Each structure stands twice: as structure tokens, then as C-alpha cells.
Amino acid sequence: MKPKTTRKESLIMDTVYHRIQNHYDDLSSTEQLVVDYILNNGDFLNLKMKVIQESLHVSAPTIVRAIKKLSYRSFTDFKYALANSEKQENELNPEESYEALIDSISSDFSRTIDMMDKEKLYAIATVILQSHRIFCVGIGSSVSVVNSLNRKLKQFGLWSNDYTEAAPFRDIADIASKGDCLLIFSLSGKEEQILESVAKNKAKGVTIISVTGFSNNPLAGLSDISLLTYQTPQKRTKLRSRLMLSVAAEIIFETILLQKNEEK
């Protein structure tokens, strides 16, 4: 049985990034692009609707519809909510100084925590605890996140294996069946090897859980449950940090422990 929501939890759940996490799946692909564009812009208060229209070739009603699906009355309300949620006033590039780097990581951490939806986390914990087998999947720099969580799930007594290379990805569909789950960590959500494996396993009734970076990506669309993390846009895209994926993995595991204790 889940605990009642406290007043403090209610305040956290009303943050702008939590609303985005909670309603992101309700947006169409075009509406998701609109929200992604606004978040990546950074200069929220000075952003004009006309700029979004011209940059994305979308209509004003599409932008307004996306904002209203996030439970905001207007584009202006949404901009001010984002501006008020900022943890820092100086929007320096993370690479400009050590202090700015720490501020950026702190801001990303706060936003990611705000985006951790309680209902989704409990749903993920329930699926994992009830699954016959758990296939932890990741590639590249997400491997360390996958390896760490897989080890904890094993120690907890669950059947779990990690898959971190393209060839083993293809083998999962030969093993997995209904009642199993794929737990995938991918910052971009666009790796072809992972997407191919997901499509095959989804057709077999395997539950797909993904943890990705905040963006409009195909993996999130294919998943039964998708948990999003935030990262400030950076110039060095090939060396993007997986720290927020690690944060999400830790929260998932701690939620599993909470769920198990509540069942006793």
C-alpha cells in the first residue's frame, strides 16, 4: 500500500519539471518538439512565440495546445514558471569555469529530482519486482549505470542480467517472453541496436522500461514506462555526462526497496 502524499510532496509535485515529466507522454511528437525547444533555449523570459513558430515551422495553436497539456494557462505562464524554477541567475556555459560547472550539475540534479514522478517510479518498481527476468540494457557510456544497477538487483535476489553490446542485444528476443522486462538506459534514446531489440521484444509482450535524457526520442515512444532525466545542453555532445542516469538508477532501486518494505 502506498503512503499518503504529504504537503511537502505536493509542493514538489507541482514544480514545472515535474509537470513536464508527468504530462510529456500526453504530447504529440510535434508538441514534444515545442517543449524541447523552449527548454533548450534557456532565455525563457525573452523567448517569443513567433521565434518558435519560425524555427520549428509550427502554428501558434500547436504551441498553446502543448502548454495547456502541461497544465499551464498560457505561453507566458509557462515561461515564468520555468524562469522562477531556475536555481542560478548566471547562465554560464558549464565549461567556462569550475564554479559554473558545479552550478550546472547542481541545477541538473535539482531538475532531475523534480522530474522524478512518484507514480511512475512505483509503477517501475512494481514491474521489476513482479518480472520473471530483468534484462538491463545500455551501450557506450551508459554501461557503468547498467552494470551498477544490475549488480544491486542481483544482490536483492532478483533474476537480472546486463547486456551492454550489440550482439547480445539481438539474443534477448530469443530468451525473453511475456512476464519479463527490459530496463534500458540511454541518454539519447536513438541507438539503432537498442531500438531494434526493443521492437522485437515488445512484439513478444515483454514490458519495456526506459530511462532517457529529456528529449523527443524513439525509445521513449516505444516504452511502456519512460522516465526522463534533465541535462543542460552542452557543446561537447559526444562526451555528455551520464550522471543524471545514475541518479535515476539510484532512485529506482531505492523505490524498489520502499515498495518491498510496504508490502510486508
Side-chain angles (χ1 to χ4, degrees), residues 83 86-92 103:
E86 290 295 282
K87 305 298 182 183
Q88 55 187 17
E89 302 240 346
N90 191 354
E91 292 290 88
L92 291 173
D103 284 346

Side-chain angles (χ1 to χ4, degrees), residues 12-27 67-73 77-78 81 114-117 214:
I12 292 173
M13 290 171 66
D14 197 41
T15 62
V16 61
Y17 290 98
H18 187 276
R19 287 196 193 186
I20 293 171
Q21 170 79 278
N22 199 35
H23 297 290
Y24 195 75
D25 291 343
D26 299 331
L27 304 177
I67 299 307
K68 287 189 174 181
K69 284 185 179 180
L70 299 178
S71 299
Y72 287 95
R73 292 177 299 176
D77 283 353
F78 184 53
D114 284 346
M115 291 170 68
M116 293 293 102
D117 181 75
F214 191 91

Side-chain angles (χ1 to χ4, degrees), residues 176-245:
S177 59
K178 189 174 182 179
D180 297 334
C181 81
L182 260 67
L183 180 54
I184 307 163
F185 289 83
S186 170
L187 201 56
S188 71
K190 298 177 181 178
E191 291 93 346
E192 291 185 10
Q193 305 97 317
I194 290 179
L195 293 175
E196 182 180 348
S197 178
V198 167
K200 290 180 179 178
N201 283 282
K202 191 175 181 67
K204 296 183 67 176
V206 176
T207 302
I208 310 298
I209 300 171
S210 65
V211 182
T212 73
F214 191 91
S215 68
N216 182 333
N217 67 71
L219 178 58
L222 285 169
S223 303
D224 296 293
I225 308 174
S226 179
L227 194 65
L228 305 177
T229 64
Y230 187 86
Q231 183 180 49
T232 301
Q234 299 175 354
K235 294 180 180 179
R236 46 184 178 81
T237 55
K238 291 185 178 180
L239 293 172
R240 297 169 71 192
S241 170
R242 263 59 179 176
L243 179 57
M244 295 307 123
L245 291 185

Side-chain angles (χ1 to χ4, degrees), residues 46-66:
N46 293 319
L47 181 61
K48 306 297 183 184
M49 191 179 294
K50 185 177 180 181
V51 173
I52 303 174
Q53 291 177 252
E54 294 175 350
S55 298
L56 300 180
H57 305 290
V58 297
S59 65
T62 297
I63 299 172
V64 173
R65 187 166 57 249

Side-chain angles (χ1 to χ4, degrees), residues 1-6 9 117-126 255 258-259 261-263:
M1 183 176 179
K2 297 177 187 178
K4 292 183 179 180
T5 301
T6 65
E9 288 175 325
D117 181 75
K118 182 179 178 180
E119 296 301 319
K120 280 192 176 183
L121 286 164
Y122 269 94
I124 290 171
T126 297
T255 305
L258 283 174
Q259 180 91 321
N261 287 335
E262 289 165 13
E263 291 174 356

